[in-house]
């Protein structure tokens, strides 16, 4: 069996320890993965932009068959986040991107708006987020949250 068994650990770690390969003599093929220059540049950009592993991302998606309803509900969630962080959840430091139309703004005849929230994933952050999305949704509007999404496209 010449399949690769690659395991991932939390970053930042030594890039030579982050990826392990069970196939002998495959280390040269995996050089791009553990290249010091790439790793150092990528981790510096992530730190500067406050992206994982220096924070967690949460994606909040609001969907509705009416574009205006999806947009106003997303704005309400955004306002709730700002109010909660400015008051009882002041220890939670967040950076909110949006609300804006999702990368795929309409799926199955539903308009989609999203917020990307950068923060440290803690109990206080999750509690704040749970309260921020506690919005009375009209008609067929729905709100979903994905913490540490695989993609934000």
């Amino acid at each position: 069996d010449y399949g690769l068994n690659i395991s991932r650990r939390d970053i930042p770690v030594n890039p030579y320890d982050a990826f392990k390969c069970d196939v002998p003599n495959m280390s040269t093929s995996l050089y791009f993965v553990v290249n010091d220059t790439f790793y150092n540049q990528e981790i510096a950009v992530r730190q500067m932009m406050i992206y994982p592993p220096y924070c967690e991302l949460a994606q909040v998606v609001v969907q509705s068959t009416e574009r205006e309803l999806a947009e106003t509900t997303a704005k309400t969630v955004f306002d709730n986040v700002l109010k909660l962080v400015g008051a009882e959840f002041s220890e939670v430091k967040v950076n909110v991107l949006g609300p804006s139309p999702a990368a795929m703004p309409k799926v199955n005849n539903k308009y989609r708006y999203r917020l990307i929230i950068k923060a440290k994933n803690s109990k206080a952050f999750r509690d704040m987020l749970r309260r921020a999305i506690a919005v009375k949704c009209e008609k067929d509007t729905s709100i979903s949250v994905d913490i540490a999404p695989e993609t934000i496209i």
Side-chain angles (χ1 to χ4, degrees):
D1 182 11
Y2 291 101
L4 294 178
N5 179 12
I6 298 176
S7 61
R8 179 173 179 245
R9 297 184 191 157
D10 290 336
I11 298 176
V13 296
N14 181 342
Y16 293 101
D17 293 335
F19 297 92
K20 304 229 184 253
C21 179
D22 291 340
V23 180
N25 301 320
M26 287 292 291
S27 60
T28 55
S29 297
L30 293 176
Y31 180 75
F32 71 95
V33 174
V34 293
N35 183 298
D36 282 337
T37 304
F38 169 78
Y39 174 83
N40 291 336
Q41 289 174 348
E42 180 68 16
I43 208 71
V45 167
R46 287 173 173 267
Q47 185 175 19
M48 180 182 67
M49 298 297 292
I50 312 171
Y51 276 113
Y54 297 99
C55 76
E56 291 291 334
L57 296 179
Q59 179 172 238
V60 179
V61 177
V62 178
Q63 298 184 83
S64 178
T65 54
E66 297 179 29
R67 188 191 61 77
E68 295 81 13
L69 198 52
E71 184 178 13
T72 57
T73 304
K75 286 180 181 177
T76 302
V77 172
F78 175 78
D79 292 340
N80 288 350
V81 169
L82 294 184
K83 286 177 194 170
L84 290 167
V85 168
E88 59 195 282
F89 290 96
S90 59
E91 75 279 4
V92 177
K93 306 297 181 215
V94 299
N95 199 349
V96 183
L97 307 172
S100 62
M104 294 181 6
K106 191 174 182 185
V107 176
N108 293 332
N109 292 322
K110 290 192 174 188
Y111 293 92
R112 302 170 69 232
Y113 276 75
R114 72 173 180 184
L115 294 97
I116 304 293
I117 304 172
K118 299 181 198 179
K120 182 178 179 189
N121 190 2
S122 64
K123 182 178 181 336
F125 170 66
R126 292 188 304 275
D127 290 344
M128 182 276 302
L129 196 53
R130 192 172 294 114
R131 293 207 17 218
I133 66 167
V135 175
K136 185 176 189 288
C137 293
E138 298 180 32
K139 297 183 181 179
D140 62 345
T141 305
S142 65
I143 301 172
S144 62
V145 177
D146 187 1
I147 295 180
E150 286 189 24
T151 181
I152 55 173
I153 294 177

